[in-house]
Amino acid sequence: MDSPICSNCNLKEEQTVHHLYWECPSTQRFWTLIQSWYEVNTNSVISLDWHHVFLGHTTETPLLDVAVVLAKYHIHVRKCSHEEPNFHVWREQIKNWRTFEKYHAIA
């Protein structure tokens, strides 16, 4: 049986949904990298908070909404694999999504 304690951090915190997707230090580092990535790629400043993560809709752009959805999926998949979120893997997923969207738009 899996332990209710978060396997990604040393805080010995119960792994609630809020902890997994927002409070866990490894997840916080992941969100910080995503925020920086977005700001560099869009030349804009955002304040990503737990409302964006859990409610999913932002006032920024659809790109940020998609980035958050893919990030949440990435966190879930990595948790199932007993691994921490990985920004570099997520970034490749974003690149693949953009390629797919470009192909789909011209098809």
Side-chain angles (χ1 to χ4, degrees):
M1 179 175 173
D2 286 337
S3 170
I5 302 300
C6 179
S7 60
N8 287 342
C9 70
N10 295 322
L11 299 178
K12 305 297 183 211
E13 293 285 330
E14 182 178 357
Q15 187 164 296
T16 62
V17 171
H18 195 262
H19 179 82
L20 176 63
Y21 289 97
W22 186 253
E23 292 176 336
C24 183
S26 65
T27 304
Q28 277 292 304
R29 286 188 297 275
F30 181 62
W31 288 121
T32 299
L33 290 169
I34 289 173
Q35 180 172 323
S36 296
W37 168 86
Y38 181 84
E39 291 176 347
V40 165
N41 285 286
T42 63
N43 200 28
S44 62
V45 177
I46 61 168
S47 179
L48 194 60
D49 64 22
W50 71 269
H51 291 97
H52 292 113
V53 172
F54 284 94
L55 301 177
H57 181 71
T58 66
T59 57
E60 303 298 326
T61 67
L63 174 61
L64 185 56
D65 289 336
V66 169
V68 168
V69 168
L70 290 176
K72 290 190 293 187
Y73 178 71
H74 176 81
I75 292 167
H76 169 74
V77 168
R78 299 291 285 194
K79 167 59 183 155
C80 291
S81 301
H82 304 288
E83 299 175 303
E84 292 184 6
N86 183 308
F87 174 75
H88 302 291
V89 171
W90 172 85
R91 190 175 58 197
E92 287 302 312
Q93 292 170 336
I94 286 286
K95 288 178 185 177
N96 291 339
W97 171 79
R98 291 188 69 204
T99 301
F100 172 79
E101 286 294 315
K102 287 179 185 177
Y103 176 77
H104 188 270
I106 59 174

